[in-house]
Amino acid sequence: ANVYREKGDSPDWQRLYERRETYKPGTVPAGGLMLVAGVDVQKDYLIYEVVAYGRKKRSWSVDIGAIEGHVSTDAAKEALGEFLERRYVNASGIPMAIEMMLIDSSNDTQEVYNTVAQLGSNRLRPIKGQGNLTTMIGTPKPVQININGIRKDGGVKMWPVGVNVLKEQFYRWLLLSRPTDESLADGGEWPTGYCHFPEWDDDYFKQITSAVVH
């Protein structure tokens, strides 16, 4: 049985909330080496999160927000393109670009493919969760796009994602305990996969802990 399905053992949102850190949202703390963004497609807006990753799979939630409009609208496409070019300053004062942005194509699939094709960046890739995958990422597949009534085959590749595998791994990372200040002062290290969060509100933590048990 998959561990994350055991609701009684799901990560406690309040425990995560109470261990929030004071780094400033919109900045990359020391240790963050690469930025990745995820975009979720809703009926009339897009939700995004930017996460910094460092050594030993440590992560820092850096930015969250929404882009107004359906993914097929010109306004949303323009805003998404601008968001892809956003820079986030790290602890050394250096602006960092988003190296990869993944957009979920489970909803409004064709419109997402078309938007990805029109923006034309190899840093923007559509993904789709598949429960039968036994790996985190499957083999990318060419998909058909339709722009202005013109169909093109293979213009965009969709990347299958093993949602069950990812949820179980994320669950384990969320359950990791924070090292004590004494341990860190003595040269101790953060656990592999530890997730850092700034002072997001309680809704954020309720949503991420709910996501790993559904």
Side-chain angles (χ1 to χ4, degrees):
N2 289 323
V3 176
Y4 74 86
R5 292 186 181 277
E6 301 298 330
K7 291 193 177 185
D9 295 331
S10 63
D12 178 10
W13 72 266
Q14 193 164 6
R15 183 176 63 86
L16 295 174
Y17 179 86
E18 289 170 352
R19 77 171 200 202
R20 296 178 305 166
E21 301 173 30
T22 57
Y23 65 89
K24 184 179 178 182
T27 63
V28 182
L33 304 176
M34 179 181 73
L35 291 178
V36 175
V39 180
D40 189 35
V41 177
Q42 299 294 319
K43 184 177 180 180
D44 52 8
Y45 60 95
L46 309 175
I47 299 174
Y48 63 79
E49 180 170 17
V50 180
V51 178
Y53 287 92
R55 293 184 176 89
K56 297 179 65 178
K57 301 183 178 69
R58 281 173 67 194
S59 66
W60 292 259
S61 181
V62 168
D63 192 15
I64 56 176
I67 293 172
E68 294 299 322
H70 187 268
V71 68
S72 65
T73 64
D74 290 341
K77 291 175 186 176
E78 182 178 352
L80 189 61
E82 291 174 354
F83 174 47
L84 185 57
E85 300 308 318
R86 192 174 297 179
R87 299 291 187 269
Y88 294 85
V89 177
N90 69 9
S92 300
I94 300 172
M96 294 177 61
I98 296 171
E99 296 193 28
M100 187 64 62
M101 184 180 294
L102 307 176
I103 182 168
D104 186 6
S105 62
S106 300
N107 297 325
D108 300 308
T109 301
Q110 193 60 56
E111 288 84 351
V112 171
Y113 294 161
N114 294 348
T115 293
V116 170
Q118 286 181 278
L119 290 177
S121 172
N122 61 8
R123 294 185 293 127
L124 177 61
R125 299 183 181 179
I127 61 172
K128 182 174 287 188
Q130 296 186 358
N132 60 346
L133 278 183
T134 56
T135 57
M136 289 189 181
I137 304 293
T139 304
K141 302 174 182 178
V143 295
Q144 186 181 83
I145 59 174
N146 188 332
I147 299 177
N148 298 326
I150 301 174
R151 291 185 179 182
K152 295 182 180 181
D153 292 323
V156 168
K157 288 185 177 180
M158 183 276 292
W159 293 71
V161 173
V163 288
N164 291 347
V165 179
L166 280 172
K167 282 183 177 182
E168 188 164 349
Q169 182 63 80
F170 185 44
Y171 167 91
R172 289 172 177 164
W173 287 339
L174 288 179
L175 282 178
L176 292 171
S177 298
R178 184 191 187 283
T180 63
D181 292 338
E182 292 79 5
S183 170
L184 293 172
D186 289 340
E189 296 186 346
W190 293 88
T192 296
Y194 188 88
C195 304
H196 301 265
F197 303 101
E199 293 177 316
W200 300 139
D201 63 21
D202 56 0
D203 283 341
Y204 172 89
F205 295 96
K206 290 174 183 177
Q207 288 176 21
I208 63 169
T209 52
S210 173
V212 297
V213 294
H214 291 91

